[in-house]
Amino acid sequence: MSILRRPLKLALVQLATGADKSANLAHARAKVIEAAKAGANIIVLPECFNSPYGTNYFPKYAEQLSPPDSSESFKALSAVAKETSTYLVGGSIPEIDPSTQKLYNTSLVFSPTGNLLTSHRKLHLFDIDIPGKITFKESEVLSPGDKITVFETEYGKIGLGICYDIRFPELAMTAARKGCFAMIYPGAFNMTTGPLHWSLLARSRAVDNQIYVALCSPARDLSATYHAWGHSMVVNPNGEVLEELEDLEGVAIADLDNDKLEEVRRGIPVTTQRRFDVYKNVAE
Ligand SMILES: NC(=O)CCC(=O)C(=O)O
């Protein structure tokens, strides 16, 4: 059963990023502090918040995450989580595993004391080809993760995915069935699929599972090679958009509570009406 133990404020930082990693980290710190001052308890940064988004950038910006001291981004995220006493879902960064030399798109989550709570390597790589619109192949340089990520907070359990992961309902459903009250996705949709599917997918995952869903994008930068859709948003368990930004930098803050979760589940009790006796193995 998904439970949100007490009300919380969730902040999405739709960050303007550039090519200078240290400047991106400093800017992220300033915006996290701004969100914390506005009362946020859990703060989310976008996908690839410390680098431009593109397969040619991932190897150049990749950091080794172990030991933590070897990662500039790990240290910066941990420090600002501690400084603000907030949970910080640190968007994602390109990671290199020194033992295999494989690269990953990885999200780090920190507790209010600055300790690493969990990390998620993007499970489903963004490989698409829409002729005349967009071709992107993360798998040219990245490897996929191999686990579902759920982390515990004082508010309850939260599931974590990265961007393209939202297209796979099985991930959100598994997390919801493990008791998560929310799914959080740092993401960076584009100008083709953003208008088509960004909001639809967020609302679908929320309605499928009767949970909160949050998507956090970088701000749109038309001088970059990849134009992010923006539109960071928080959706409630009824599929209603609570907060949504446009394309520019900003911070969206939404109030989450358990009453809404319970009300929606009482009214339309799909969580208890599922027929797993009929569709017990969807992978067949
Ligand atoms: N960074 C991504 O995974 C982009 C996903 C995306 O744009 C989509 O349409 O899916």
Side-chain angles (χ1 to χ4, degrees):
M1 183 62 179
S2 307
I3 291 204
L4 210 179
R5 291 191 198 106
R6 56 195 172 89
L8 73 95
K9 279 191 193 299
L10 176 67
L12 309 179
V13 177
Q14 184 162 293
L15 197 73
T17 57
D20 181 337
K21 187 196 283 188
S22 301
N24 291 334
L25 291 173
H27 188 45
R29 174 176 177 272
K31 299 303 283 184
V32 168
I33 290 171
E34 180 186 318
K37 282 193 176 144
N41 310 107
I42 301 179
I43 302 174
V44 186
L45 290 168
E47 182 177 26
C48 276
F49 79 95
N50 73 0
S51 73
Y53 182 67
T55 49
N56 51 328
Y57 298 110
F58 298 144
K60 181 167 165 236
Y61 285 79
E63 294 178 37
Q64 179 178 322
L65 297 177
S66 165
D69 269 2
S70 54
S71 165
E72 182 185 359
S73 300
F74 186 112
K75 284 187 285 187
L77 291 169
S78 165
V80 75
K82 186 172 177 185
E83 182 181 354
T84 55
S85 294
T86 57
Y87 289 93
L88 180 59
V89 178
S92 79
I93 62 170
E95 175 200 355
I96 182 161
D97 182 334
S99 59
T100 59
Q101 293 302 305
K102 284 185 178 173
L103 297 172
Y104 299 92
N105 185 342
T106 302
S107 182
L108 302 172
V109 181
F110 293 89
S111 73
T113 52
N115 292 323
L116 182 70
L117 278 182
T118 193
S119 65
H120 176 76
R121 288 173 168 166
K122 191 174 189 173
L123 261 185
H124 306 92
L125 296 181
F126 178 45
D127 285 2
I128 66 166
D129 182 18
I130 307 175
K133 300 281 189 191
I134 177 170
T135 300
F136 203 100
K137 208 153 186 235
E138 278 191 322
S139 66
E140 280 170 355
V141 295
L142 298 181
S143 296
D146 59 8
K147 70 165 177 66
I148 287 177
T149 304
V150 164
F151 61 97
E152 187 69 68
T153 71
E154 68 205 68
Y155 303 97
K157 283 186 197 164
I158 297 176
L160 182 62
I162 300 176
C163 204
Y164 198 61
D165 283 337
I166 198 174
R167 288 192 179 271
F168 300 86
E170 298 83 355
L171 179 59
M173 177 170 273
T174 306
R177 288 178 61 74
K178 285 179 187 290
C180 292
F181 67 85
M183 279 299 296
I184 293 179
Y185 300 92
F189 270 40
N190 53 81
M191 300 300 288
T192 299
T193 62
L196 268 177
H197 292 154
W198 174 261
S199 171
L200 175 69
L201 288 166
R203 299 184 62 224
S204 302
R205 295 300 81 85
V207 171
D208 289 346
N209 301 295
Q210 300 180 312
I211 55 171
Y212 289 94
V213 171
L215 307 188
C216 185
S217 169
R220 191 175 308 152
D221 174 3
L222 293 177
S223 70
T225 50
Y226 184 90
H227 299 160
W229 172 235
H231 290 262
S232 297
M233 64 168 58
V234 182
V235 178
N236 77 10
N238 212 19
E240 295 161 312
V241 177
L242 294 181
E243 292 294 332
E244 177 176 1
L245 298 173
E246 298 285 335
D247 57 314
L248 300 177
E249 181 167 85
V251 179
I253 300 188
D255 290 301
L256 277 52
D257 62 53
N258 203 53
D259 294 348
K260 191 70 192 175
L261 244 150
E262 282 187 353
E263 175 198 316
V264 170
R265 289 177 177 207
R266 245 192 333 269
I268 309 175
V270 290
T271 45
T272 58
Q273 293 169 331
R274 296 203 195 281
R275 293 295 309 275
F276 283 114
D277 56 323
V278 176
Y279 37 74
K280 51 175 139 321
N281 190 351
V282 291
E284 266 171 6

